[in-house]
Amino acid sequence: MTSHKTTQTMKPATAAKKLGVYLEATPAEFREGVVSRDELNALQADPPEWLRELRRTGPHPRPVVAAKLGVSIGGLTRGGVTEPLTTEQIDALKAENPDWLVRERATQAEVRKEAVRVKEKHG
């Protein structure tokens, strides 16, 4: 009996999400192909220059932008941030520290405190 190992593949959008990068900023060959689990592992273990550069400078997808700013994705939307941002744009927002960002960071801090309280109560 011969065993046939099927290679698990994913769409580029899924792979980009797992890598924490904005799909539209990836090279064409990445966007136009499929990514195997082994290829994804290799990209994570030894990122090529394009991936290192994207992670360093962006543009970053909304979940990464939200994390770098310390707010939720909903908080980004409430603040009017609907597009991917570069690291430079994120740093500028942090320096400017607009009212919406201050509010959303405070909201996130409360959410985290409540999560810890609930965990301690039920944990």
Side-chain angles (χ1 to χ4, degrees):
M1 197 182 242
T2 320
S3 76
H4 295 288
K5 185 179 182 208
T6 57
T7 303
Q8 184 184 8
T9 59
M10 62 195 82
K11 294 177 182 169
T14 304
K17 194 175 206 175
K18 290 179 182 288
L19 292 169
V21 295
Y22 180 55
L23 177 64
E24 300 307 315
T26 62
E29 59 271 14
F30 180 86
R31 288 192 311 271
E32 293 162 5
V34 293
V35 181
S36 72
R37 172 69 56 199
D38 289 343
E39 288 169 329
L40 179 70
N41 291 341
L43 287 169
Q44 288 172 323
D46 185 21
E49 183 53 37
W50 66 263
L51 181 53
R52 288 196 303 272
E53 184 63 22
L54 255 184
R55 286 177 168 168
R56 191 170 36 253
T57 63
H60 303 287
R62 289 168 42 112
V64 174
V65 173
K68 286 179 177 281
L69 289 173
V71 301
S72 67
I73 293 174
L76 282 181
T77 304
R78 287 188 291 276
V81 178
T82 57
E83 298 296 316
L85 298 179
T86 62
T87 300
E88 191 176 314
Q89 291 169 313
I90 292 167
D91 291 344
L93 255 179
K94 285 179 179 176
E96 186 183 312
N97 207 19
D99 290 344
W100 71 265
L101 184 55
V102 172
R103 252 190 334 273
E104 292 300 334
R105 282 180 164 169
T107 300
Q108 271 302 95
E110 287 303 314
V111 167
R112 285 191 204 101
K113 270 201 299 206
E114 180 63 11
V116 168
R117 189 190 68 75
V118 168
K119 186 177 179 185
E120 287 171 350
K121 184 178 177 185
H122 298 290

